[in-house]
Amino acid sequence: MAATKRSVLLIGLFYLALLIVISGTEAIKKAINLGRCSNFPDCNAACIQANYKSGGCLFVEGVNTCFCEPNFN
């Protein structure tokens, strides 16, 4: 009985982790690539100034890149 509860819990955690990964991937696809973070000392401020919701640097394919989150209003 305890093994069954543990199995159900582990399967639930697996699907939750899978959902989080898929959601993160979709968010990156919708993000706007502003350029290398070295060109933008404050990536978030640069994104807000360019009329995006917010921004942040992500290390993608060996380059630290500034991505902006679009406004969906």
Side-chain angles (χ1 to χ4, degrees):
M1 184 71 167
T4 303
K5 288 182 181 179
R6 192 176 317 154
S7 296
V8 170
L9 178 64
L10 289 174
I11 290 171
L13 289 174
F14 170 76
Y15 281 110
L16 179 62
L18 185 62
L19 179 64
I20 291 170
V21 168
I22 290 171
S23 298
T25 303
E26 288 301 314
I28 290 173
K29 287 180 183 176
K30 294 176 184 176
I32 309 301
N33 182 340
L34 208 56
R36 292 180 178 260
C37 284
S38 59
N39 296 335
F40 303 97
D42 187 347
C43 177
N44 186 47
C47 290
I48 292 171
Q49 186 178 14
N51 295 320
Y52 293 106
K53 184 176 179 180
S54 64
C57 291
L58 296 173
F59 196 73
V60 179
E61 296 180 0
V63 178
N64 207 14
T65 307
C66 180
F67 284 96
C68 299
E69 180 182 356
N71 290 317
F72 293 110
N73 296 340

